[in-house]
Amino acid sequence: NNSLTGQLEYTDSEPIVYALNYRPKLPGPEDSITVTAAVFCPVSVAGVDIAFRPGNLTVIETIPMIYQPVLSSKKIEDADRWIGVIPPLGPGGFGAFHINIKGGNTALSGYPRNGYITLSVIEPQVSGLKINEFMASNSRTVSDEAGEFDDWLEIMNVGNQSVSLNGLYLTDKIDNFTKWRFSLSDSILAPGEFLLIWCDDDEEQGGYHTNFKLSANGEFLAIVAEDGVTVLDSISFGEQSADISYGRYPDGYDAWQYFSIPTPGASNDVGTSVNGSRAATEFQLFRNYPNPFNMTTTIYYSLSGKAFVRLAVFDLSGRLVESLLDREQAAGEHYFIWQTAHLSSGIYFCELKTEKTLRRIKMMLLK
């Protein structure tokens, strides 16, 4: 463009990270940590890496990030999105990471410019309290006592003793564990009992109405002990759909699924999952966790009766990648830890099959 003289030229400018996120913010010992970065360079981006330093070691592990734009999104940061996965830190683990960028003009830069972003494993203390179900976008499903359709979450006591909630905290902020406090002296949850809490940023309604709302774009939730530090239970979740809840199935278990017919204040065993099947039907194949994952993921499923089970993984073309299981199993909850060191990054499908029924889930491997 020669219409103006003395224009600035940015062809030699260094690349930048202008948006960064990672989840979960408080990883468990077996959680992979997915890092997303929006990267820009006036010429082009030649490569992006995560420089990861595990524990107190001086060694730096290089984890390549993959360019994965969200083509359906209108957000500029989704068009510049790069994704990488840090492997699980293990029990009591910690570490730090830094993003390195190389521009097509050979310019180099990093983010943060100084230092590293620290990570540490938070292992929830033994407690009977669990966040059992929540809805972050409620437009017509269930209303509060004022007739308003607000965000909500459900707490369950999965222990065998009654628990007093008085003095405990709920939060949606990783940097503010004391965001909202249970203050009712009669807040006692019996074994197996559920409590519905409205997350509507309207404490003036009294009772169980918090001072924060849930984000349908995804965020962090936790139950915190009276000391304001100890995490009793937590979850980091992604983008949510309107009037679809996300809950544990079975109640209190580590496996989560979406429900088109939610059950606020009641057992998820009677809810209806998004594929239309009853949660208590012949068998269920749950979403693997973590997903996306790096190297290892756990596949959860349940059987209501003895059945001959075939568990297998296929690629996008339908080719059999690996047969994981081919035998008879008893009724109950089951899981399979899938190791993928021999496979490349990509989309895979896990298939659970019995004589009468078949289920599939999609999994994303990022290395």
Side-chain angles (χ1 to χ4, degrees), residues 125-142:
Q125 302 298 304
V126 177
S127 167
L129 298 178
K130 296 284 187 181
I131 299 171
N132 199 56
E133 186 181 9
F134 66 86
M135 181 178 286
S137 180
N138 176 23
S139 66
R140 56 179 172 78
T141 304
V142 59

mmCIF file of all heavy atoms in Angstrom, residues 125-142:
data_model
loop_
_atom_site.group_PDB
_atom_site.id
_atom_site.type_symbol
_atom_site.label_atom_id
_atom_site.label_comp_id
_atom_site.label_asym_id
_atom_site.label_seq_id
_atom_site.Cartn_x
_atom_site.Cartn_y
_atom_site.Cartn_z
ATOM 1 N N GLN A 125 -9.656 -33.742 49.543
ATOM 2 C CA GLN A 125 -9.650 -34.489 50.786
ATOM 3 C C GLN A 125 -10.822 -35.468 50.828
ATOM 4 O O GLN A 125 -11.823 -35.293 50.136
ATOM 5 C CB GLN A 125 -9.745 -33.521 51.978
ATOM 6 C CG GLN A 125 -8.616 -32.503 52.014
ATOM 7 C CD GLN A 125 -7.270 -33.162 52.151
ATOM 8 O OE1 GLN A 125 -7.044 -33.920 53.081
ATOM 9 N NE2 GLN A 125 -6.362 -32.873 51.223
ATOM 10 N N VAL A 126 -10.664 -36.507 51.607
ATOM 11 C CA VAL A 126 -11.733 -37.492 51.742
ATOM 12 C C VAL A 126 -12.960 -36.817 52.315
ATOM 13 O O VAL A 126 -12.923 -36.218 53.389
ATOM 14 C CB VAL A 126 -11.285 -38.656 52.645
ATOM 15 C CG1 VAL A 126 -12.430 -39.632 52.838
ATOM 16 C CG2 VAL A 126 -10.072 -39.356 52.044
ATOM 17 N N SER A 127 -14.045 -36.858 51.591
ATOM 18 C CA SER A 127 -15.272 -36.191 52.003
ATOM 19 C C SER A 127 -16.443 -36.889 51.358
ATOM 20 O O SER A 127 -16.325 -37.450 50.265
ATOM 21 C CB SER A 127 -15.254 -34.708 51.600
ATOM 22 O OG SER A 127 -16.527 -34.125 51.724
ATOM 23 N N GLY A 128 -17.595 -36.854 52.021
ATOM 24 C CA GLY A 128 -18.789 -37.449 51.439
ATOM 25 C C GLY A 128 -19.487 -36.531 50.468
ATOM 26 O O GLY A 128 -20.458 -36.927 49.825
ATOM 27 N N LEU A 129 -19.024 -35.285 50.331
ATOM 28 C CA LEU A 129 -19.715 -34.308 49.497
ATOM 29 C C LEU A 129 -19.172 -34.319 48.070
ATOM 30 O O LEU A 129 -17.967 -34.290 47.853
ATOM 31 C CB LEU A 129 -19.575 -32.911 50.094
ATOM 32 C CG LEU A 129 -20.176 -32.702 51.482
ATOM 33 C CD1 LEU A 129 -19.919 -31.295 51.965
ATOM 34 C CD2 LEU A 129 -21.674 -32.999 51.470
ATOM 35 N N LYS A 130 -20.087 -34.341 47.108
ATOM 36 C CA LYS A 130 -19.716 -34.326 45.698
ATOM 37 C C LYS A 130 -20.609 -33.344 44.942
ATOM 38 O O LYS A 130 -21.802 -33.236 45.221
ATOM 39 C CB LYS A 130 -19.903 -35.718 45.075
ATOM 40 C CG LYS A 130 -19.010 -36.812 45.639
ATOM 41 C CD LYS A 130 -17.584 -36.689 45.130
ATOM 42 C CE LYS A 130 -16.738 -37.876 45.561
ATOM 43 N NZ LYS A 130 -15.338 -37.756 45.098
ATOM 44 N N ILE A 131 -20.013 -32.614 43.996
ATOM 45 C CA ILE A 131 -20.816 -31.906 43.001
ATOM 46 C C ILE A 131 -21.326 -32.980 42.059
ATOM 47 O O ILE A 131 -20.554 -33.599 41.328
ATOM 48 C CB ILE A 131 -19.971 -30.867 42.244
ATOM 49 C CG1 ILE A 131 -19.413 -29.828 43.211
ATOM 50 C CG2 ILE A 131 -20.804 -30.197 41.148
ATOM 51 C CD1 ILE A 131 -18.393 -28.887 42.592
ATOM 52 N N ASN A 132 -22.635 -33.227 42.065
ATOM 53 C CA ASN A 132 -23.182 -34.400 41.387
ATOM 54 C C ASN A 132 -23.799 -34.085 40.028
ATOM 55 O O ASN A 132 -23.843 -34.944 39.153
ATOM 56 C CB ASN A 132 -24.226 -35.075 42.279
ATOM 57 C CG ASN A 132 -24.504 -36.509 41.873
ATOM 58 O OD1 ASN A 132 -23.569 -37.318 41.799
ATOM 59 N ND2 ASN A 132 -25.767 -36.832 41.607
ATOM 60 N N GLU A 133 -24.253 -32.834 39.872
ATOM 61 C CA GLU A 133 -24.892 -32.436 38.613
ATOM 62 C C GLU A 133 -24.978 -30.916 38.589
ATOM 63 O O GLU A 133 -25.065 -30.270 39.630
ATOM 64 C CB GLU A 133 -26.289 -33.049 38.507
ATOM 65 C CG GLU A 133 -26.995 -32.832 37.184
ATOM 66 C CD GLU A 133 -28.403 -33.433 37.137
ATOM 67 O OE1 GLU A 133 -28.886 -33.875 38.207
ATOM 68 O OE2 GLU A 133 -29.008 -33.446 36.052
ATOM 69 N N PHE A 134 -24.962 -30.330 37.386
ATOM 70 C CA PHE A 134 -25.148 -28.887 37.277
ATOM 71 C C PHE A 134 -25.679 -28.539 35.892
ATOM 72 O O PHE A 134 -25.587 -29.331 34.949
ATOM 73 C CB PHE A 134 -23.844 -28.124 37.549
ATOM 74 C CG PHE A 134 -22.758 -28.351 36.544
ATOM 75 C CD1 PHE A 134 -22.692 -27.602 35.380
ATOM 76 C CD2 PHE A 134 -21.792 -29.327 36.752
ATOM 77 C CE1 PHE A 134 -21.693 -27.811 34.443
ATOM 78 C CE2 PHE A 134 -20.791 -29.548 35.809
ATOM 79 C CZ PHE A 134 -20.741 -28.788 34.661
ATOM 80 N N MET A 135 -26.235 -27.335 35.790
ATOM 81 C CA MET A 135 -26.695 -26.800 34.505
ATOM 82 C C MET A 135 -26.250 -25.350 34.420
ATOM 83 O O MET A 135 -26.625 -24.521 35.249
ATOM 84 C CB MET A 135 -28.209 -26.905 34.356
ATOM 85 C CG MET A 135 -28.727 -26.383 33.015
ATOM 86 S SD MET A 135 -30.520 -26.566 32.808
ATOM 87 C CE MET A 135 -30.630 -28.345 32.522
ATOM 88 N N ALA A 136 -25.436 -25.033 33.416
ATOM 89 C CA ALA A 136 -24.864 -23.696 33.287
ATOM 90 C C ALA A 136 -25.653 -22.801 32.335
ATOM 91 O O ALA A 136 -25.300 -21.638 32.158
ATOM 92 C CB ALA A 136 -23.414 -23.791 32.827
ATOM 93 N N SER A 137 -26.707 -23.332 31.715
ATOM 94 C CA SER A 137 -27.550 -22.536 30.824
ATOM 95 C C SER A 137 -28.971 -23.069 30.908
ATOM 96 O O SER A 137 -29.356 -23.975 30.174
ATOM 97 C CB SER A 137 -27.031 -22.602 29.380
ATOM 98 O OG SER A 137 -27.834 -21.833 28.511
ATOM 99 N N ASN A 138 -29.749 -22.508 31.820
ATOM 100 C CA ASN A 138 -31.100 -22.975 32.108
ATOM 101 C C ASN A 138 -32.113 -21.951 31.601
ATOM 102 O O ASN A 138 -32.296 -20.900 32.195
ATOM 103 C CB ASN A 138 -31.247 -23.187 33.621
ATOM 104 C CG ASN A 138 -32.656 -23.573 34.038
ATOM 105 O OD1 ASN A 138 -33.421 -24.096 33.237
ATOM 106 N ND2 ASN A 138 -32.987 -23.310 35.298
ATOM 107 N N SER A 139 -32.789 -22.256 30.496
ATOM 108 C CA SER A 139 -33.762 -21.311 29.939
ATOM 109 C C SER A 139 -35.205 -21.736 30.154
ATOM 110 O O SER A 139 -36.117 -20.911 30.087
ATOM 111 C CB SER A 139 -33.510 -21.131 28.432
ATOM 112 O OG SER A 139 -33.775 -22.337 27.730
ATOM 113 N N ARG A 140 -35.413 -23.040 30.422
ATOM 114 C CA ARG A 140 -36.802 -23.504 30.547
ATOM 115 C C ARG A 140 -36.961 -24.797 31.337
ATOM 116 O O ARG A 140 -38.054 -25.345 31.425
ATOM 117 C CB ARG A 140 -37.384 -23.730 29.150
ATOM 118 C CG ARG A 140 -36.573 -24.682 28.295
ATOM 119 C CD ARG A 140 -37.184 -24.903 26.920
ATOM 120 N NE ARG A 140 -36.302 -25.669 26.054
ATOM 121 C CZ ARG A 140 -36.129 -26.984 26.093
ATOM 122 N NH1 ARG A 140 -36.797 -27.708 26.993
ATOM 123 N NH2 ARG A 140 -35.308 -27.586 25.254
ATOM 124 N N THR A 141 -35.883 -25.286 31.909
ATOM 125 C CA THR A 141 -35.923 -26.639 32.480
ATOM 126 C C THR A 141 -36.560 -26.698 33.860
ATOM 127 O O THR A 141 -37.491 -27.449 34.105
ATOM 128 C CB THR A 141 -34.503 -27.232 32.544
ATOM 129 O OG1 THR A 141 -33.946 -27.207 31.237
ATOM 130 C CG2 THR A 141 -34.551 -28.667 33.044
ATOM 131 N N VAL A 142 -36.032 -25.914 34.788
ATOM 132 C CA VAL A 142 -36.560 -25.914 36.156
ATOM 133 C C VAL A 142 -36.405 -24.505 36.712
ATOM 134 O O VAL A 142 -35.403 -23.833 36.474
ATOM 135 C CB VAL A 142 -35.816 -26.948 37.041
ATOM 136 C CG1 VAL A 142 -34.332 -26.667 37.098
ATOM 137 C CG2 VAL A 142 -36.415 -27.002 38.436
#
